[in-house]
């Protein structure tokens, strides 16, 4: 039996995939409300195709619990934020989960850490906790790091088709862990050592952050000298070895806006491009704010409450708001100018989280003169005609209407 610890955006789909592919699974989370929701037969977040897998897993006998199970295989998928001061990974959730596992696991258990961790996290934080309790790693307990690569919005497909990395101390355990993931994963599964697996995952997300930062920096340069960044990128990308990404309002989520900091924190003085990229991407919400102010002036809009932000999540068609550019921008606004006046709407955020939040698209549109497209949810793409006539700032380059302002 596999006990999956942490039933959030990563742990839940992983638990469901395992269970729906013939593995006995108990999913554990210390959030009682979340566990009760799952037990009541309700899925806890919106994700394409997840509900189907949820019911397949329930039919296959998956269980949900607040307690840790006594078994021989654990998958840990708890948060790994970064420490805002040191920029290093904050491994406290992983450590707490490991401590709880050690209280119940059987001798010879394999603990697989799926959470993203910086290189040497296992050596510096995890091994000591296990050894302090008198366990011998390699006979009493086996460790593995199997980082997750899936993207919200396409998780079910990617769980099945992405290739994976399994880091282990011991090749035999590597094969055992590989067999477990092969129950649902059709992609190539590479077995390597733990530090390589740790570094590989962080490097992947950092690569994305740097590439996004390049596009964002180009947007700023082009704006400063009145050039069309989108046309320039379109033409540049015709070069056979150039593939510049699209600029946007910033980077959010629990991965790309977080993981590069681990390298900045662990390798000060060496992670220079990485730090610059983080700063550029974190500066984008303020850049959007400047664009809003300039466009308001140009259009004689003096009342911030006539401006509406479309989208609170960090990407389209998901309900994850963590570190989202809109949230970053609202925080910045609270500090500087608008004092909670600006209007906000997101079809995926059903509960009230900020002032002036709308839950109906038409009402939101009726109450504003200017719309800022922060997230390109399908709902908006399908209803572009409804924003015709408004002043539009499109930070995602999805609106083809006449007179649209862009980054
Ligand atoms: N969200 C993503 O797109 C994504 C993609 C790849 C990798 N990751 C990584 O996966 C890990 C998990 O991220 P997430 O987005 O699923 O986080 P999440 O916040 O959605 O879920 C984590 C869950 O763990 C639970 N939890 C925390 N500590 C616990 C403990 N000690 N015992 C039991 N339950 C506990 C929380 O209640 C929460 O439900 C992170 O390291 C993240 O970087 C995330």
């Amino acid at each position: 039996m596999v006990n999956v610890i942490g039933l959030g955006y990563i742990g839940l789909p992983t638990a469901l995939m395992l269970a729906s592919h013939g593995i006995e699974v108990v999913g554990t989370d210390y959030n009682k409300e979340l566990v009760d929701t799952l037990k009541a037969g309700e899925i806890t977040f919106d994700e394409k195709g997840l509900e189907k897998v949820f019911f397949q897993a329930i039919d296959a006998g998956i269980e949900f619990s607040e307690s840790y199970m006594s078994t021989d295989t654990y998958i840990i998928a708890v948060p790994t934020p970064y420490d805002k001061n040191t920029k290093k990974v904050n491994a406290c959730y992983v450590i707490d989960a490991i401590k709880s596992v050690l209280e119940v696991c059987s001798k010879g258990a394999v603990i697989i850490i799926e959470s993203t961790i910086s290189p040497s996290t296992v050596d510096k934080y995890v091994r000591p906790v296990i050894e302090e309790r008198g366990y011998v790693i390699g006979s009493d307990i086996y460790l593995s790091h199997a980082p997750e690569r899936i993207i919200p919005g396409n998780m079910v497909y990617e769980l099945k088709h992405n290739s994976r990395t399994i880091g282990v101390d011991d090749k035999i355990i590597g094969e055992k862990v590989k067999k477990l993931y092969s129950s649902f994963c059709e992609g190539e599964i590479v077995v390597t050592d733990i530090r390589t697996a740790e570094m590989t995952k962080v490097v992947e997300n950092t690569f994305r952050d740097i590439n996004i930062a390049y596009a964002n920096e180009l947007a700023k340069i082009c704006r400063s000298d009145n050039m069309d960044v989108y046309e320039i990128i379109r033409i540049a990308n015709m070069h056979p070895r150039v593939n510049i990404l699209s600029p946007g309002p910033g980077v959010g989520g629990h991965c790309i806006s977080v993981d590069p900091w681990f390298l900045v924190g662990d390798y000060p003085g060496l992670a220079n491009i990485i730090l610059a990229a983080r700063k550029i991407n974190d500066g984008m919400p303020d850049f959007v704010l400047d664009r809003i102010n300039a466009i308001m002036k140009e259009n004689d809009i003096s009342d911030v409450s006539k401006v509406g932000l479309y989208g609170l999540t960090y990407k389209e068609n998901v309900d994850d708001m963590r570190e989202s550019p809109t949230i970053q921008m609202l925080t910045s606004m609270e500090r500087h100018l608008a004092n909670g006046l600006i209007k906000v709407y997101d079809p995926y955020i059903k509960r009230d989280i900020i002032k002036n939040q709308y839950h109906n698209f038409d009402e939101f549109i009726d109450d504003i003169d200017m719309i800022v497209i922060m997230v390109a949810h399908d709902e908006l793409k399908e209803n572009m005609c409804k924003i015709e006539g408004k002043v539009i700032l499109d930070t995602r380059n999805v609106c083809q209407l006449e007179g649209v302002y862009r980054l």
Side-chain angles (χ1 to χ4, degrees):
M1 186 249 281
V2 179
N3 190 192
V4 178
I5 312 295
L7 298 174
Y9 286 100
I10 294 302
L12 180 64
T14 305
L16 300 180
M17 286 300 269
L18 286 166
S20 60
H21 288 80
I23 309 288
E24 190 186 349
V25 177
V26 176
T28 295
D29 200 294
Y30 62 18
N31 179 341
K32 182 178 179 330
E33 199 185 324
L34 183 144
V35 171
D36 286 346
T37 306
L38 293 170
K39 277 182 172 169
E42 279 174 50
I43 202 95
T44 42
F45 63 95
D46 279 333
E47 175 62 39
K48 188 175 65 188
L50 196 63
E51 200 163 56
K52 187 172 166 209
V53 189
F54 179 60
F55 289 114
Q56 285 169 349
I58 287 178
D59 286 346
I62 192 170
E63 286 180 24
F64 303 106
S65 174
E66 284 167 77
S67 307
Y68 284 62
M69 298 294 130
S70 180
T71 185
D72 59 0
T73 310
Y74 296 86
I75 293 180
I76 294 182
V78 297
T80 44
Y82 71 99
D83 182 297
K84 295 269 159 42
N85 294 318
T86 65
K87 314 296 186 206
K88 290 173 188 282
V89 66
N90 174 352
C92 71
Y93 294 95
V94 173
I95 300 304
D96 286 350
I98 299 266
K99 285 179 184 167
S100 302
V101 164
L102 293 177
E103 282 169 22
V104 294
C105 68
S106 48
K107 192 170 159 50
V110 182
I111 304 177
I112 305 163
I113 300 169
E114 270 210 17
S115 303
T116 304
I117 46 179
S118 59
S120 296
T121 298
V122 166
D123 288 347
K124 281 192 219 154
Y125 307 108
V126 177
R127 291 187 202 279
V129 164
I130 296 172
E131 284 160 357
E132 272 162 22
R133 280 159 179 70
Y135 294 98
V136 177
I137 297 168
S139 59
D140 297 336
I141 297 287
Y142 295 95
L143 284 173
S144 174
H145 176 45
E148 187 49 74
R149 282 179 170 149
I150 55 177
I151 188 165
N154 201 25
M155 286 178 160
V156 176
Y157 177 88
E158 291 205 354
L159 273 167
K160 192 165 180 182
H161 297 283
N162 283 359
S163 57
R164 309 191 65 105
T165 317
I166 309 275
V168 279
D169 298 325
D170 174 322
K171 283 259 154 62
I172 296 169
I173 297 299
E175 288 312 308
K176 197 174 162 183
V177 175
K178 185 173 174 174
K179 195 169 163 222
L180 178 66
Y181 282 100
S182 301
S183 62
F184 65 81
C185 173
E186 295 174 8
E188 187 180 348
I189 300 180
V190 178
V191 177
T192 183
D193 62 273
I194 289 176
R195 280 190 90 212
T196 303
E198 290 173 323
M199 184 61 166
T200 306
K201 168 68 198 182
V202 176
V203 159
E204 290 162 8
N205 281 351
T206 303
F207 173 86
R208 298 270 304 145
D209 200 42
I210 290 170
N211 280 279
I212 295 167
Y214 181 55
N216 284 339
E217 188 157 85
L218 290 182
K220 287 182 176 175
I221 290 171
C222 290
R223 174 59 47 207
S224 77
D225 207 11
N226 203 22
M227 290 180 270
D228 181 345
V229 70
Y230 299 101
E231 179 66 350
I232 289 158
I233 290 176
R234 188 181 74 78
I235 298 168
N237 282 349
M238 289 173 170
H239 183 293
R241 286 168 296 284
V242 173
N243 185 16
I244 305 170
L245 302 179
S246 291
V251 173
H254 192 43
C255 294
I256 298 178
S257 65
V258 171
D259 304 345
W261 284 122
F262 299 165
L263 296 177
V264 173
D266 284 347
Y267 303 98
L270 293 176
N272 299 318
I273 296 180
I274 300 168
L275 175 58
R278 273 289 66 238
K279 284 185 175 167
I280 291 164
N281 289 336
D282 273 358
M284 287 311 285
D286 274 344
F287 178 70
V288 177
L289 257 186
D290 290 344
R291 289 287 292 140
I292 294 173
N293 281 325
I295 295 163
M296 282 174 71
K297 273 197 195 114
E298 205 178 311
N299 290 277
D300 288 327
I301 301 172
S302 53
D303 183 357
V304 178
S305 68
K306 291 309 231 178
V307 180
L309 306 178
Y310 181 91
L312 273 162
T313 62
Y314 83 92
K315 74 185 283 280
E316 69 284 0
N317 305 328
V318 301
D319 63 4
D320 190 348
M321 294 186 303
R322 289 178 294 181
E323 324 282 336
S324 88
T326 308
I327 299 287
Q328 291 178 44
M329 208 168 90
L330 289 167
T331 311
S332 184
M333 285 184 95
E334 237 169 66
R335 280 199 306 268
H336 297 301
L337 68 148
N339 223 357
L341 292 173
I342 203 162
K343 295 187 163 69
V344 186
Y345 164 79
D346 190 309
Y348 283 86
I349 307 301
K350 311 259 174 3
R351 63 190 191 285
D352 272 324
I353 56 135
I354 41 160
K355 278 190 220 157
N356 295 328
Q357 185 182 342
Y358 283 64
H359 296 284
N360 179 295
F361 181 68
D362 293 336
E363 283 172 18
F364 168 70
I365 297 301
D366 281 351
D367 281 0
I368 56 174
D369 294 336
M370 173 174 169
I371 180 168
V372 184
I373 302 174
M374 296 294 288
V375 187
H377 291 308
D378 284 349
E379 181 211 49
L380 180 66
K381 289 186 187 161
E382 287 155 13
N383 286 287
M384 273 312 173
C385 57
K386 290 190 177 171
I387 65 171
E388 203 164 0
K390 306 282 174 195
V391 175
I392 303 168
L393 169 57
D394 178 7
T395 71
R396 300 285 184 173
N397 197 27
V398 290
C399 180
Q400 305 309 322
L401 293 170
E402 221 25 47
V404 171
Y405 293 91
R406 302 184 201 278
L407 283 178

